[in-house]
Amino acid sequence: MRKIMEPAFYFLYLAAIGFAGVFLIVRSIQQRKKGEDNHGYLLGIACFLLGFGDAFHLIPRAIGLFTDTLDNPSESLAFYLGVGKLITSVTMTVFYDLLYLYFRKKGLFPASKALDIVAIVLTALRFALLCFPQNGWTVNATSLDFGIYRNVPFVILGVMVIALSFRFLWNESPYRFLGIAITLSFLFYLPVVLFAHLSVYVGMLMLPKTVCYLWIAGMFLKEAWPKKA
């Protein structure tokens, strides 16, 4: 059952997040043509990139599940799983950068050069750590220590966005629960970083993490969806 249901969920997620990305970009273009100052394209790009990056990891994972080879992948499948993790690590980071940039441009997050520098430094550090050979991307194997190292700047970036969301978006519909959604996504993600090497089933925590991303995308769509006259 799992080898059918989990891949099916992945493909539904990729379709939904892809739709959200394209819709938000098109909607933003339409609004800008009307002379409305809109930055929704940033959210559209964020969603599209998130789905694009996740596809490189989820599709090989779905193949591994469907063929019962995820626990003991072939050399080629291990390569695609590992490289997929690298790509999704990059796009997840950019996702939070774009969220921060969007709310800053909207005036909902404070215009702070200090926070801008923190976001840039954390992103640069994250990308630098992703380049180290100790990550073992091409063989889908990495040491626990280095798995933690590369996620430290990412988690700090996420905590920064969470803190800003709770401080400045709590009374902003539809983003009231954005901080909660992001917090939950990290709570589901961190056990995978720490314990996925112990059991393949720990990786299933990526399912509720993915639901959190769909929740976030739903908030974006709610704001951008055309209102009835």
Side-chain angles (χ1 to χ4, degrees):
M1 181 65 70
R2 181 192 172 203
K3 74 176 186 179
I4 301 297
M5 298 302 295
E6 193 171 329
F9 175 80
Y10 291 152
F11 285 110
L12 287 173
Y13 158 70
L14 292 174
I17 203 72
F19 165 79
V22 172
F23 176 86
L24 290 166
I25 292 171
V26 171
R27 179 64 175 160
S28 178
I29 292 172
Q30 292 173 339
Q31 290 177 316
R32 291 173 75 87
K33 285 181 177 180
K34 295 178 182 179
E36 299 177 17
D37 187 15
N38 179 274
H39 304 290
Y41 65 93
L42 292 171
L43 298 181
I45 295 171
C47 288
F48 187 83
L49 282 178
L50 184 67
F52 178 78
D54 284 352
F56 282 92
H57 175 58
L58 294 181
I59 292 176
R61 181 176 173 84
I63 292 172
L65 284 165
F66 191 72
T67 59
D68 294 320
T69 58
L70 186 61
D71 293 340
N72 188 27
S74 64
E75 184 176 333
S76 60
L77 183 59
F79 172 83
Y80 288 115
L81 284 167
V83 172
K85 288 180 182 179
L86 168 60
I87 295 173
T88 196
S89 294
V90 172
T91 52
M92 278 197 308
T93 308
V94 176
F95 177 80
Y96 286 106
D97 285 331
L98 290 173
L99 256 64
Y100 170 75
L101 182 60
Y102 172 76
F103 289 113
R104 190 188 186 290
K105 284 183 173 292
K106 290 277 287 186
L108 296 175
F109 284 175
S112 168
K113 289 185 178 180
L115 288 177
D116 292 348
I117 292 172
V118 169
I120 292 170
V121 170
L122 289 173
T123 300
L125 182 58
R126 163 80 160 168
F127 289 166
L129 289 168
L130 292 176
C131 294
F132 278 69
Q134 289 90 336
N135 288 290
W137 300 120
T138 58
V139 292
N140 192 35
T142 186
S143 68
L144 175 60
D145 288 346
F146 214 83
I148 294 172
Y149 298 154
R150 69 176 182 244
N151 277 288
V152 169
F154 177 58
V155 171
I156 296 174
L157 177 65
V159 169
M160 185 182 84
V161 176
I162 290 169
L164 290 170
S165 298
F166 277 116
R167 174 65 179 83
F168 297 103
L169 300 181
W170 188 250
N171 295 316
E172 295 289 337
S173 180
Y175 297 113
R176 179 180 180 86
F177 300 113
L178 181 64
I180 294 176
I182 298 175
T183 299
L184 288 174
S185 74
F186 273 95
L187 290 177
F188 291 124
Y189 172 69
L190 291 178
V192 177
V193 174
L194 297 173
F195 306 117
H197 65 288
L198 299 178
S199 171
V200 68
Y201 290 100
V202 176
M204 292 184 68
L205 287 173
M206 299 301 279
L207 294 175
K209 170 183 173 291
T210 300
V211 171
C212 291
Y213 280 128
L214 290 175
W215 184 13
I216 293 169
M219 297 179 198
F220 300 160
L221 289 172
K222 185 176 180 180
E223 181 186 42
W225 205 265
K227 306 297 188 296
K228 292 183 179 180

